[in-house]
């Protein structure tokens, strides 16, 4: 059984590819009220994106509530570049026998522009090769730690991640422009239920997960975060699947 959380599709895609190769069922943490019974499962996997060298809050709370069993446990994070020590920290909450990172297209358009098409396609191809390899290792129940931690991983995953969760998850900088049609997609799809529609326009609650699904997936590209995202692209995994 594989549980995933995904803002813009990378981790969902990775979870589905792994599930297809290992025969595990795949479940969306964001859509579940509580974890299903897992006692009979041979394998338990957690797949999710890296946020500021750490594990997203909904994944941490899900893992903390997840039953401990004798299953082979593994975690796979997707990241734009490096994961820091996120997997080691997660393993302290829910012990993982294997941990992997997959470098995938960067969706953090608040910090910089999206990857160009060639870079994104190259990352997805390399991630798929790694998925084939790690799936075989998981089936053989081999304990593996293959994570791109990057430099200063300890500091980034402690101090910087703490700062992100404390100060960078506010929503005050989200806004919509004239092109918003009021379709309500952003509100319906927010995994934190942090967006509501008021007078036909989205309104953000004070805090959210910062998954960036709303800003990346608005069909009109009507959502901005301050002014920095006005000239930047938007990222959706499925655009690459359709083109390939
Ligand atoms: C709030 C936020 C913080 C991020 N921090 C990191 C990071 O520390 N290191 C990194 O390599 N990528 C980082 N990223 C990029 C994502 O981890 C990466 O694009 C991931 O594959 C997105 O997965 P998803 O499509 O399943 O949401 C960040 C993205 C977001 C939204
Ligand atoms: S998804 Fe975009 S167009 Fe639709 S309501 Fe939200 S901001 Fe407006
Ligand atoms: S408000 Fe946007 S960025 Fe925040 S959790 Fe919801 S969809 Fe993700």
């Amino acid at each position: 059984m594989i549980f995933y959380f995904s803002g813009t599709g990378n981790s969902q895609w990775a979870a589905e590819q792994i599930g297809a190769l290992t025969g595990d069922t795949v479940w969306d943490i964001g859509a579940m009220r509580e974890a299903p019974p897992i006692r009979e499962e041979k394998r338990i996997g957690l797949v999710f994106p890296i946020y500021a060298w750490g594990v997203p809050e909904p994944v941490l709370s899900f893992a903390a509530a997840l039953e401990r069993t004798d299953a082979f446990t593994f975690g796979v994070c997707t990241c734009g570049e490096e994961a820091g020590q996120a997997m080691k920290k997660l393993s302290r909450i829910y012990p993982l026998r294997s941990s992997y990172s997959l470098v995938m297209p960067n969706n953090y358009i608040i910090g910089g522009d999206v990857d160009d098409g060639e870079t994104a396609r190259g990352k997805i191809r390399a991630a798929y090769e790694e998925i084939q390899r790690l799936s075989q290792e998981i089936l053989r129940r081999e304990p593996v730690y293959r994570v791109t931690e990057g430099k200063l991983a300890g500091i980034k995953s402690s101090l910087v991640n703490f700062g992100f969760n404390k100060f960078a998850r506010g929503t005050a900088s989200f806004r919509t422009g004239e092109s918003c049609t009021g379709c309500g997609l952003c509100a319906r799809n927010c995994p934190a239920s942090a967006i509501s529609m008021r007078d036909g326009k989205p309104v953000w609650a004070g805090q959210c997960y910062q998954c960036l699904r709303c800003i990346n997936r608005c069909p009109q590209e009507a959502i901005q975060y301050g002014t920095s995202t006005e000239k930047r692209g938007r990222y959706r995994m499925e655009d690459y699947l359709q083109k390939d």
Side-chain angles (χ1 to χ4, degrees), residues 35 37 48 61 74 77 81 88 123 126 131 149 172 187 196 208 241:
F48 54 88
S61 15
F74 64 94
C77 64
E81 282 179 44
K88 288 176 181 158
K123 284 180 170 184
I131 284 172
E149 289 194 357
S196 50
C208 76
L241 296 181

Side-chain angles (χ1 to χ4, degrees), residues 5-12 48-54 78-83 102 104-108 164 209-212 235 237:
F5 176 77
S6 183
T8 53
N10 288 349
S11 311
Q12 177 178 359
F48 54 88
I50 289 294
Y51 290 171
W53 300 278
T78 72
C79 56
E81 282 179 44
E82 55 183 40
L102 298 171
M104 293 202 62
N106 190 9
N107 69 353
Y108 193 56
F164 166 75
Y209 300 149
Q210 290 282 317
C211 74
L212 302 197
Y235 177 70
M237 171 74 196

Side-chain angles (χ1 to χ4, degrees), residues 171 174 186 189-195 204 208-215:
T171 59
F174 282 116
C186 52
N189 284 349
C190 170
S193 303
I195 306 176
W204 279 262
C208 76
Y209 300 149
Q210 290 282 317
C211 74
L212 302 197
R213 185 184 296 174
C214 54
I215 190 167

Side-chain angles (χ1 to χ4, degrees), residues 110 171-176 215 223-231 234:
I110 291 175
T171 59
S173 297
F174 282 116
R175 61 184 172 84
T176 46
I215 190 167
I223 303 177
Q224 304 296 343
Y225 188 89
T227 52
S228 64
T229 53
E230 279 167 11
K231 294 208 164 78
R234 299 294 187 265

Side-chain angles (χ1 to χ4, degrees), residues 176 179-187 197 200-202 204 214 217-223:
T176 46
S179 55
C180 169
T181 59
C183 71
L185 183 80
C186 52
M197 298 300 288
K201 299 286 172 191
W204 279 262
C214 54
R217 293 198 168 204
C218 167
Q220 307 301 322
E221 300 193 4
I223 303 177

